Amino acid sequence: MMIHGFSFLSLSASLVLPWALTGLVQGEKITESLVRDVRQSFTVQEMPLPSRKLISAVSTATTYYVSGQGNDKNSGLTTSSAFRTIQRAADLTDPGDTVLIMNGVYKNSGNAGSVVNIERSGNAKAWIRYKAYPGDSPKIQHNTWSGIGLSNGVSYIEINGLEVIGNNANVTLAYALNQKWNSSNRLTNGTCISVEGRVNAVHHINILNNKVHDCGGAGISVMGADYVKVDNNTVFNTSWYSVYGCSGISFLKSYNSDNNRGYKMFVTNNRVYNNRMYIPWIGAGKITDGNGIIVDVSKLSQGGSYRGRTLIANNITYWNGGSGIHAHDSEHVDIVNNTAYGNGQTSSLKKGQIYAGYSSDVKIFNNIISAYPGQKANSNMKNTNVTYDYNLYTKGAEITVMGPHDIIGDPQFVNPSNGDFRLKANSAAINKGYYWKDLKTDYAGKPRSAGRYDIGAYEHQ
């Protein structure tokens, strides 16, 4: 819900940090491919020689290495001369460069706003990539505003295969409640990955294959950005202790960097669970969010309502405090082939497992919406042109909106208590979905049926 918490600024409940502190939070961007930066060859005529000698100068991209056993006085150019901090590499990158991060625990130093603050951009033909070294499992652990921060208009950045751990293990609920009016406490309010574009808009960011958890604030927060892909991440145990209304994955006030009206924002193939608020949002004095995934107030984007489309597909969201997935005060959103189970763990949040509110041009198709008996499956608050169809609802759930091809049935999950939401052979979801031409594979990367899709994140194999 949109809540007006401050006299000078209308803020969404998914806002992670105060406007005054945006300088401490960094946005982040990522891409899917590395293109070498190859400059044109040139010729030099040497006089008075009778012939011309062709001299080629080729500049290739640089790979930097970071290791828990490294040293920032090293060159960073080989595994044996690796840097110790990711920031050292981030301060050197040029378009096309790759930072390979080896095993180690990487922490913020002193009062730094993040473990790594990314402000140097790639370009459309040469992204900058931050990746786990092949076979390694590096950990970014922090007790500050963000583990990884991207800001200052940064673009064409990829974050891939990292684990980001927040400060929840060092915070008690009693301490957090004592700090519920303290908006400047980085111990309780820190975000795992922060894409901050509200001052200088960021664009072309890919956040892929990361494990993100135990941050007092949001898991992955994207604010004032365009062309962002959040794909195949696992996000859990976030949003617990912040005084801001946070969620596992949140997109706030997406930014129009161009007039493209096609898909530009992607939240796909993520597993998002046990994200919830225990501390009231400071702007409203009550718990408002703790959702799995939210697209928030895109109608109030910089330069007017966000014009691009957002695709939320093949996600598994369960046991979150608020909704599994919802669009609030937003438009041009497609919520397709997701599985939502047992969300709404916060008893005061009763709007549904998957829903849209105060929104327009939203399509909610092919989702398994599994609510407890008597719990709301969906809702329809002041929407225009919001369509629910080809969804499966579980028996006993309260269904506010029922599309013409929606069904009530048993999804027959393999083992939901252990987070296994694959379908058994007798599932009511099999072959009951709509063919969504822009979605060819399921959560596991398996091809969708050429005919009728199965409902939910998994296609039965």
Side-chain angles (χ1 to χ4, degrees), residues 19 66 124 167 208 293:
W19 185 270
V66 183
N167 194 46
L208 316 174
I293 299 168

Side-chain angles (χ1 to χ4, degrees), residues 17-297:
L17 294 176
W19 185 270
L21 293 173
T22 56
L24 293 175
V25 183
Q26 308 304 324
E28 87 180 40
K29 316 174 188 179
I30 52 185
T31 184
E32 297 179 9
S33 62
L34 169 66
V35 180
R36 293 187 181 277
D37 180 16
V38 181
R39 294 178 175 82
Q40 285 187 325
S41 299
F42 59 90
T43 62
V44 176
Q45 186 173 9
E46 298 188 46
M47 298 298 290
L49 297 176
S51 62
R52 297 179 179 178
K53 182 182 292 185
L54 182 64
I55 303 173
S56 64
V58 179
S59 176
T60 59
T62 300
T63 297
Y64 294 104
Y65 298 87
V66 183
S67 168
Q69 305 302 315
N71 190 313
D72 279 357
K73 295 181 179 179
N74 290 339
S75 69
L77 298 177
T78 67
T79 56
S80 59
S81 63
F83 294 137
R84 176 61 183 91
T85 67
I86 306 169
Q87 190 63 57
R88 173 67 174 138
D91 291 340
L92 297 174
T93 53
D94 288 318
D97 289 351
T98 298
V99 178
L100 291 179
I101 304 165
M102 303 166 72
N103 282 334
V105 178
Y106 302 90
K107 297 184 179 182
N108 54 288
S109 58
N111 293 324
S114 58
V115 177
V116 56
N117 175 24
I118 300 172
E119 293 187 330
R120 294 171 69 93
S121 296
N123 61 48
K125 294 184 177 180
W127 293 59
I128 297 173
R129 299 187 299 172
Y130 294 79
K131 298 184 64 176
Y133 183 84
D136 279 14
S137 302
K139 302 179 188 299
I140 295 174
Q141 189 168 11
H142 75 97
N143 62 0
T144 188
W145 288 112
S146 61
I148 302 174
L150 296 96
S151 65
N152 198 32
V154 71
S155 58
Y156 300 103
I157 303 292
E158 175 183 320
I159 308 296
N160 194 331
L162 306 178
E163 181 174 1
V164 184
I165 309 165
N167 194 46
N168 283 359
N170 301 309
V171 176
T172 64
L173 179 58
Y175 173 78
L177 286 168
N178 181 262
Q179 296 292 303
K180 67 181 181 179
W181 303 112
N182 187 354
S183 61
S184 300
N185 190 340
R186 64 184 68 200
L187 300 178
T188 55
N189 291 306
T191 294
C192 288
I193 298 178
S194 174
V195 179
E196 174 54 84
R198 289 173 297 175
V199 176
N200 294 308
V202 298
H203 59 91
H204 290 90
I205 313 260
N206 290 340
I207 303 174
L208 316 174
N209 309 312
N210 302 287
K211 183 179 180 181
V212 172
H213 59 100
D214 288 283
C215 287
I220 299 173
S221 172
V222 180
M223 299 176 283
D226 199 7
Y227 289 98
V228 177
K229 178 183 289 187
V230 177
D231 181 75
N232 199 38
N233 301 280
T234 300
V235 182
F236 61 97
N237 294 356
T238 75
S239 309
W240 288 8
Y241 299 134
S242 176
V243 302
Y244 301 97
C246 303
S247 294
I249 298 174
S250 59
F251 279 53
L252 175 69
K253 294 187 177 181
S254 299
Y255 171 75
N256 294 302
S257 65
D258 58 25
N259 289 317
N260 182 2
R261 295 176 183 266
Y263 284 128
K264 299 200 290 177
M265 306 296 247
F266 298 86
V267 185
T268 52
N269 306 299
N270 300 286
R271 179 178 290 267
V272 189
Y273 64 95
N274 204 32
N275 305 282
R276 62 183 300 176
M277 291 175 63
Y278 290 102
I279 308 302
W281 180 44
I282 194 171
K286 62 181 180 180
I287 292 174
T288 54
D289 284 79
N291 310 289
I293 299 168
I294 179 173
V295 176
D296 208 359
V297 292

Side-chain angles (χ1 to χ4, degrees), residues 392-395 407-412 428:
L392 184 152
Y393 305 96
T394 49
K395 186 177 181 179
I407 59 175
I408 298 173
D410 188 347
Q412 287 287 304

Side-chain angles (χ1 to χ4, degrees), residues 226 251-256 260-265 294-312 326-335 355-364 381-387:
D226 199 7
F251 279 53
L252 175 69
K253 294 187 177 181
S254 299
Y255 171 75
N256 294 302
N260 182 2
R261 295 176 183 266
Y263 284 128
K264 299 200 290 177
M265 306 296 247
I294 179 173
V295 176
D296 208 359
V297 292
S298 72
K299 287 182 178 179
L300 299 178
S301 302
Q302 300 175 44
S305 181
Y306 185 63
R307 295 185 289 273
R309 294 201 76 83
T310 299
L311 177 64
I312 304 175
H326 83 267
H328 172 74
D329 207 12
S330 295
E331 53 191 1
H332 318 313
V333 180
D334 296 328
I335 303 174
Y355 71 96
Y358 302 88
S359 296
S360 60
D361 187 16
V362 178
K363 295 179 176 62
I364 302 174
M381 301 172 298
K382 298 184 178 180
N383 290 319
T384 303
N385 190 25
V386 171
T387 305

Side-chain angles (χ1 to χ4, degrees), residues 396-448:
E398 182 181 331
I399 305 168
T400 303
V401 185
M402 191 86 173
H405 302 97
D406 284 349
I407 59 175
I408 298 173
D410 188 347
Q412 287 287 304
F413 296 127
V414 170
N415 192 346
S417 62
N418 286 330
D420 189 344
F421 295 97
R422 291 174 298 163
L423 305 176
K424 295 180 181 178
N426 57 345
S427 170
I430 294 174
N431 294 330
K432 297 295 177 59
Y434 176 79
Y435 173 74
W436 195 271
K437 65 181 179 63
D438 296 300
L439 192 64
K440 303 300 185 184
T441 58
D442 72 352
Y443 171 82
K446 303 295 185 181
R448 292 275 178 187

